[in-house]
Amino acid sequence: MTNQDIKDASAELWQNSIPHISIDSVVFGFLNNQLNVLLLKIKEEENWILPGGYLQKNEGIDDAAKRILYERSGADKIFLNHFGVFGDLNRSEGYFKDYPDDLWHKQRFITIGYYALVDQTQVNPIPDHFTDCCEWKPVHPIPNMVMDHEIIIKKALSTLREHISHKPIGYNLLPEAFTLPELQGLYEAILGEKLNRGNFYRKMMRYDILIKLDEQRRGGAYKAPDLYKFDEDKYKKALGGLNW
Amino acid sequence: MTNQDIKDASAELWQNSIPHISIDSVVFGFLNNQLNVLLLKIKEEENWILPGGYLQKNEGIDDAAKRILYERSGADKIFLNHFGVFGDLNRSEGYFKDYPDDLWHKQRFITIGYYALVDQTQVNPIPDHFTDCCEWKPVHPIPNMVMDHEIIIKKALSTLREHISHKPIGYNLLPEAFTLPELQGLYEAILGEKLNRGNFYRKMMRYDILIKLDEQRRGGAYKAPDLYKFDEDKYKKALGGLNW
DNA sequence: ACAAAAGTGTTAGGATTACACCCATGT
DNA sequence: ACATGGGTGTAATCCTAACACTTTTGT
C-alpha cells in the first residue's frame, strides 16, 4: 500500500460515502468445535482489526453491513444484527497521524456494530490491498486488537449469548446438514460451558425446528450420528423479531 | 421561526456538529399511574417528533444524549440506554424540502436511539424557538409521529420491557420516595398487564433494593401506604451492566 | 468389543402463578 | 365500617439441572 494508494482511496470515499460513520462487524464462525472471529491485519500494523467499511450515500445501514461483509467474505446468507454504537472521542486517534488532515480515514468515526453468524466452511476470507491478511481467529483468547475493537467483540459476544438463551441459533453458523453433537458443540462454544446432552436433546426437540434427514454423517469413528437440517419456517417463527 | 432563524441555526450546526448523525431520545415518564413519552411539535407541522439533537465535534455520544436531554428537560439524573440505530434511506426526506440544499436539516441522518427514564414530577419540558410545544403524551396510543419515530418508540418500549423483566427499574422514574402500589403501577404500565400484588411484593423484597422510610403517604383515602426509597448501592449492583 | 450417539425416565430444586387469608389503619 | 395496604401461607405448574439407564450402530 503506497502513500498514493491511500490518498486515492480517500478521494473515492469522500465522493461516495457518508462521513464520520463506519460499520464494523463481528463475524462469528464455527469450525472444529471452536468459535472463531473473522479478523484483519492492516499492513505495517501489528494489531488486529475488525472487518468494516463505510456507508454509501445511497444505502441503508443494514444493507451496508451486508455489502461490506459480502465483499470481505463472499457470504451472502448472513444472520446480521445490530448490537451497539461506539462513539467515544479519540477512539480512532493515532492512526494515520502522519497523513494530511483531509484524509478520509483521519476523521472522527462513530462506528455501528453488527454481529454476524456465518457458515465458516462456506466463507473464503478476502483480503484487499490494504490488508495483509484476513483470518479466522479463535474467540478465546481475543488477540490484540486495534483501538476499542476488543470491547466491541466482547459486547457482540455478550449480545450473542443473550440471544442464544431465548432464541434458536445455528442457521447460518452451521452447514446445511449437521449433527446434534455439532449443534451442541456450537452452543457450548458460545456459552463457554458444557451442556448436558440429554437435556440439550430435549430442548432442541421442544423448539421443534429440526428436520431429521435420511442420511447419517459417515466416516467418523464409531456410530454415525444422524444428520439434521433446520425447518426454515419454524426457525424463523421462533426467532421472532431478529433479522437473519 | 423565520426562514432566517433556521438558516442561522444551520450555519451554527455545520460549524459545531458532526454531520449525518442525530440522536433521538425516547423519554419515558410516569405520572398518575400512566406511562408517558416526552414529545415535541414543530411549528407548522401537525405530527409529533421525538426530542433529539446532534453530536458535537468534541463530544462522546452518551454525553451528547445526556446534554440534549438536559437542555430539553432540565433533568440531569437520568437513566439512559442505547437501544438501536435507524439509518434507512429516506427516513428524513420530505421535510425542509423548500429550503436550500445546503441546509443542515436537509442532510441524510442516521439517528442513534436512546431511551431514558425520568422522574416526571421533576421535569419541566422546555420548548425552544423551533418547537411549538413540548409535552408528556401517554404511550398508549402513540400519537401520530413524524417519519419513523413511531417505530423508534416501539423499539424503545420493547427494549424497556426486556430490561424490566430481569433488571430492577424505578429509580429515575419515580420520586425519591414512593409506595409499593405506585411501583407496581409502574411495572404494570410498562408491561401492559396486571400483576399479582402479593407476588410483586415478594419479588421486590427478594431484590432487596428497597429501604422502608419512617413516614407514610398521607392524604389519600383509606390506609396510608408505606413509603420506600431505593437502596442505591444494591440497586446499582442489581442493574449490572446497564447505565443509569 | 468399543465408544459414541440416540432416546427416554426420573428426581430435585427453583421460580412463577394463582388464590386466599389475616391483620393494620386512615377516613 | 370499609376499602385499601401489608404481610404471609400454600398448592399447582413449569422449567431446568443432574444423573442414569437402555438401545443402536459404525468401525
Side-chain angles (χ1 to χ4, degrees):
Chain A
M1 177 177 75
T2 68
N3 205 299
Q4 191 55 45
D5 277 342
I6 199 167
K7 283 181 183 165
D8 289 349
S10 173
E12 194 265 329
L13 286 163
W14 281 113
Q15 187 76 1
N16 297 322
S17 302
I18 293 197
H20 295 294
I21 295 175
S22 60
I23 294 177
D24 283 313
S25 294
V26 181
V27 185
F28 293 107
F30 182 67
L31 196 66
N32 298 329
N33 236 32
Q34 202 167 33
L35 191 65
N36 303 303
V37 209
L38 187 63
L39 296 181
L40 315 178
K41 200 170 251 204
I42 299 185
K43 287 171 180 161
E44 291 141 27
E45 169 68 53
E46 60 186 311
N47 292 328
W48 294 86
I49 190 171
L50 286 171
Y54 306 103
L55 176 63
Q56 292 183 357
K57 286 181 179 170
N58 62 347
E59 200 178 34
I61 46 174
D62 287 356
D63 298 329
K66 269 181 199 148
R67 172 184 54 78
I68 290 165
L69 219 52
Y70 177 74
E71 288 168 5
R72 184 68 69 191
S73 70
D76 63 346
K77 204 172 150 199
I78 294 175
F79 176 96
L80 251 187
N81 267 293
H82 166 69
F83 68 90
V85 185
F86 303 85
D88 283 353
L89 283 173
N90 309 325
R91 39 179 305 279
S92 54
E93 207 150 79
Y95 298 87
F96 303 101
K97 56 182 177 300
D98 300 331
Y99 285 85
D101 279 350
D102 65 351
L103 189 80
W104 169 269
H105 309 76
K106 226 176 157 176
Q107 293 176 84
R108 173 183 172 194
F109 281 105
I110 281 72
T111 202
I112 302 176
Y114 281 82
Y115 79 87
L117 305 182
V118 302
D119 175 0
Q120 199 176 323
T121 64
Q122 297 302 309
V123 167
N124 254 51
I126 304 163
D128 59 22
H129 53 287
F130 287 94
T131 45
D132 238 2
C133 53
C134 184
E135 270 180 39
W136 290 105
K137 303 289 285 181
V139 174
H140 316 287
I142 300 174
N144 285 333
M145 303 294 301
V146 133
M147 299 186 285
D148 56 357
H149 284 197
E150 178 169 348
I151 293 174
I152 297 179
I153 293 176
K154 282 185 177 157
K155 181 79 189 288
L157 188 55
S158 77
T159 308
L160 175 58
R161 281 185 180 153
E162 264 175 43
H163 284 177
I164 207 183
S165 53
H166 52 98
K167 305 273 182 182
I169 224 159
Y171 196 93
N172 295 307
L173 254 177
L174 290 174
E176 174 95 15
F178 53 88
T179 67
L180 268 186
E182 283 165 3
L183 184 59
Q184 181 172 348
L186 171 62
Y187 271 75
E188 291 174 343
I190 292 174
L191 294 173
E193 57 179 345
K194 283 274 160 207
L195 300 176
N196 178 279
R197 191 190 51 79
N199 294 336
F200 182 80
Y201 172 85
R202 270 177 295 220
K203 185 192 178 90
M204 288 305 121
M205 291 306 133
R206 241 183 300 120
Y207 266 146
D208 189 30
I209 51 174
L210 296 179
I211 300 174
K212 193 192 282 207
L213 303 177
D214 287 336
E215 336 141 49
Q216 286 86 34
R217 159 104 62 238
R218 302 308 179 96
Y222 315 123
K223 178 181 177 186
D226 297 342
L227 282 170
Y228 291 86
K229 66 171 184 175
F230 286 109
D231 181 324
E232 294 205 14
D233 286 341
K234 291 180 179 169
Y235 189 94
K236 276 191 199 177
K237 247 177 234 156
L239 263 183
L242 292 182
N243 302 322
W244 73 327
Chain B
M1 176 177 75
T2 68
N3 204 299
Q4 191 54 48
D5 276 343
I6 198 168
K7 284 180 183 165
D8 288 349
S10 172
E12 194 264 327
L13 286 163
W14 281 114
Q15 187 75 2
N16 297 323
S17 302
I18 292 198
H20 296 295
I21 295 174
S22 59
I23 293 176
D24 283 311
S25 294
V26 180
V27 185
F28 293 106
F30 183 67
L31 197 64
N32 297 330
N33 234 34
Q34 204 168 31
L35 191 66
N36 304 303
V37 209
L38 187 65
L39 297 181
L40 315 178
K41 201 171 251 202
I42 300 185
K43 285 170 182 164
E44 292 138 27
E45 169 67 51
E46 60 186 311
N47 293 328
W48 293 87
I49 191 172
L50 286 170
Y54 305 103
L55 176 62
Q56 293 183 356
K57 287 180 178 171
N58 62 349
E59 201 179 33
I61 47 175
D62 287 357
D63 297 329
K66 269 182 197 144
R67 172 185 53 79
I68 290 165
L69 219 52
Y70 177 75
E71 288 169 6
R72 183 68 69 191
S73 69
D76 63 344
K77 203 174 152 198
I78 294 176
F79 176 96
L80 251 188
N81 266 292
H82 167 68
F83 68 89
V85 185
F86 303 85
D88 283 352
L89 283 173
N90 308 325
R91 39 179 305 280
S92 55
E93 206 151 80
Y95 298 88
F96 304 102
K97 59 181 173 300
D98 300 331
Y99 285 86
D101 279 350
D102 66 349
L103 189 80
W104 170 268
H105 309 78
K106 226 177 156 174
Q107 292 176 85
R108 173 184 173 192
F109 279 107
I110 282 70
T111 202
I112 301 175
Y114 280 83
Y115 80 86
L117 305 181
V118 303
D119 176 359
Q120 198 176 323
T121 63
Q122 298 302 309
V123 167
N124 255 49
I126 304 162
D128 60 21
H129 54 286
F130 288 93
T131 45
D132 239 1
C133 52
C134 184
E135 271 180 38
W136 290 104
K137 305 288 288 180
V139 174
H140 316 286
I142 300 175
N144 286 333
M145 303 293 300
V146 132
M147 302 186 283
D148 56 357
H149 284 195
E150 178 168 348
I151 292 174
I152 297 179
I153 293 177
K154 282 184 177 159
K155 180 77 188 289
L157 187 56
S158 76
T159 307
L160 175 58
R161 281 186 181 151
E162 264 175 42
H163 283 175
I164 207 184
S165 53
H166 53 99
K167 305 273 182 180
I169 223 160
Y171 196 91
N172 295 306
L173 255 175
L174 291 173
E176 174 97 15
F178 53 89
T179 68
L180 268 187
E182 283 165 3
L183 184 61
Q184 183 173 346
L186 171 63
Y187 271 76
E188 291 174 342
I190 291 174
L191 295 174
E193 59 179 344
K194 283 273 159 206
L195 300 176
N196 178 279
R197 190 188 51 77
N199 294 336
F200 181 81
Y201 173 85
R202 270 177 294 220
K203 185 192 178 90
M204 289 305 120
M205 291 305 132
R206 242 183 299 120
Y207 265 146
D208 189 28
I209 53 173
L210 296 180
I211 300 172
K212 193 192 283 205
L213 303 177
D214 288 335
E215 336 141 49
Q216 286 87 34
R217 160 101 64 236
R218 301 309 176 99
Y222 316 121
K223 179 181 177 185
D226 297 344
L227 283 170
Y228 291 85
K229 66 172 183 173
F230 286 108
D231 182 322
E232 295 206 13
D233 287 341
K234 291 180 179 169
Y235 189 93
K236 276 191 199 179
K237 247 177 237 159
L239 262 184
L242 294 181
N243 301 322
W244 73 329

